[in-house]
Amino acid sequence: MERTTKLSFLILCLIPFLLGSKGDVGSLTPSSLFDQMLKYKDDGRCAGHGFYTYDSFIAAASSFNEFGTTGDDNTRKKELAAFFAQTSHETTGGGGWPSAPDGPYAWGYCFVNEQKPLGDYCDPSIDWPCASGKSYYGRGPIQLTHNYNYGQAGNAIKEDLLHNPDLVSTNPTVSFKTAIWFWMTSQANKPSSHDVITGKWTPSAVDSSAGRVPGYGVITNIINGKFECGQGQNSNSEDRIGFYKRYCTILGVSPGDNLDCNNQMSFDK
């Protein structure tokens, strides 16, 4: 083999390594770390055991170029910690169970489907009309809910989720994609969770007067502020913080300031 050919071959071999070291999500969360964080996701006591796989997470993450790749390593780690914390709370099997093995914050990703749906979550919508006989209760890591969210998520990831919402609970890659889509997308007066945790969001005058300041607490406000924010200490909000602190410790990064939304007015008000 000629010298130039050998050099070209060597460069080609190094490309995946170089790319991985600079940006991809897998470089910060190898499968062993994924399993450590979501320690009981495959436990038989979890209704969704075996559903959330590492390969499906990596495949989904690769569809969103800025997810877990924005900023320096500490910023990237904080984003992954925050994402897994919020989604772990949504799918936890240990929340409110202090004596759970390894503590309540080791039991994220236990469920795929909402445990006690309050209805079919079908809201009148011209853009995202409900399909006949379909229900849009919470599914997947973010517990995607309501027809308009299924419609928008499906449009973004090129899946017809309005007519096939069960795809979110039967295809793990699609399931993770919907969660990452929600994470990366700003809606109405809410910034994206991604922009908040990576420092891209600057509060407006309205945000500042409502007590909404940069930090993990604003993400809780984005996801469920109507029920958890602006009412003093809240057990659900505290649960989200507990997961976040655990994952920050595992990833070796500081959680930062403003972790709760106790004194923040909800975006939904």
Side-chain angles (χ1 to χ4, degrees):
M1 186 181 294
E2 296 181 1
R3 184 175 179 179
T4 54
T5 305
K6 287 182 178 179
L7 181 60
S8 298
F9 178 75
L10 179 61
I11 291 173
L12 287 172
C13 290
L14 285 174
I15 285 175
F17 171 77
L18 292 173
L19 289 176
S21 65
K22 289 184 178 180
D24 73 283
V25 171
S27 67
L28 290 184
T29 52
S31 59
S32 58
L33 194 64
F34 182 83
D35 289 340
Q36 180 185 355
M37 293 170 69
L38 310 179
K39 190 169 184 178
Y40 289 96
K41 65 181 177 61
D42 297 325
D43 191 283
R45 288 168 286 186
C46 287
H49 62 91
F51 180 75
Y52 297 110
T53 66
Y54 178 73
D55 288 345
S56 62
F57 167 66
I58 294 299
S62 69
S63 296
F64 297 85
N65 292 334
E66 295 186 358
F67 175 71
T69 65
T70 301
D72 59 18
D73 278 0
N74 281 343
T75 301
R76 293 171 59 205
K77 289 176 180 178
K78 281 180 68 175
E79 176 166 27
L80 292 170
F83 172 80
F84 280 115
Q86 292 287 349
T87 50
S88 288
H89 169 79
E90 296 295 327
T91 57
T92 184
W97 179 23
S99 61
D102 296 304
Y105 307 125
W107 286 81
Y109 284 67
C110 245
F111 300 112
V112 178
N113 296 305
E114 184 177 350
Q115 293 303 288
K116 295 179 181 179
L118 300 177
D120 59 10
Y121 296 98
C122 174
D123 296 302
S125 174
I126 296 175
D127 294 325
W128 313 110
C130 300
S132 177
K134 300 299 181 181
S135 294
Y136 302 96
Y137 55 79
R139 297 175 175 89
I142 203 70
Q143 290 292 279
L144 192 72
T145 312
H146 295 288
N147 51 302
Y148 51 83
N149 279 324
Y150 276 84
Q152 291 178 79
N155 187 57
I157 68 173
K158 297 179 172 54
E159 298 284 355
D160 186 2
L161 299 183
L162 274 178
H163 289 89
N164 190 11
D166 286 329
L167 199 59
V168 182
S169 57
T170 57
N171 184 314
T173 300
V174 168
S175 198
F176 270 117
K177 282 184 178 181
T178 63
I180 299 174
W181 166 80
F182 188 92
W183 186 263
M184 300 296 294
T185 305
S186 59
Q187 296 189 36
N189 63 328
K190 300 178 183 181
S192 71
S193 299
H194 167 78
D195 282 355
V196 170
I197 202 65
T198 58
K200 288 186 172 184
W201 174 65
T202 300
S204 67
V206 172
D207 290 317
S208 296
S209 65
R212 297 191 287 262
V213 293
Y216 180 74
V218 172
I219 298 176
T220 297
N221 200 332
I222 291 169
I223 294 173
N224 205 32
K226 182 178 181 180
F227 300 101
E228 298 181 28
C229 300
Q231 50 189 291
Q233 191 168 3
N234 179 280
S235 61
N236 285 315
S237 176
E238 290 299 314
D239 192 63
R240 295 177 193 272
I241 294 170
F243 276 112
Y244 180 52
K245 287 181 175 179
R246 176 174 181 263
Y247 295 149
C248 282
T249 297
I250 291 174
L251 287 164
V253 65
S254 168
D257 300 320
N258 304 319
L259 302 187
D260 64 65
C261 60
N262 298 353
N263 299 312
Q264 296 180 18
M265 184 180 295
S266 168
F267 281 106
D268 297 317
K269 291 183 178 179

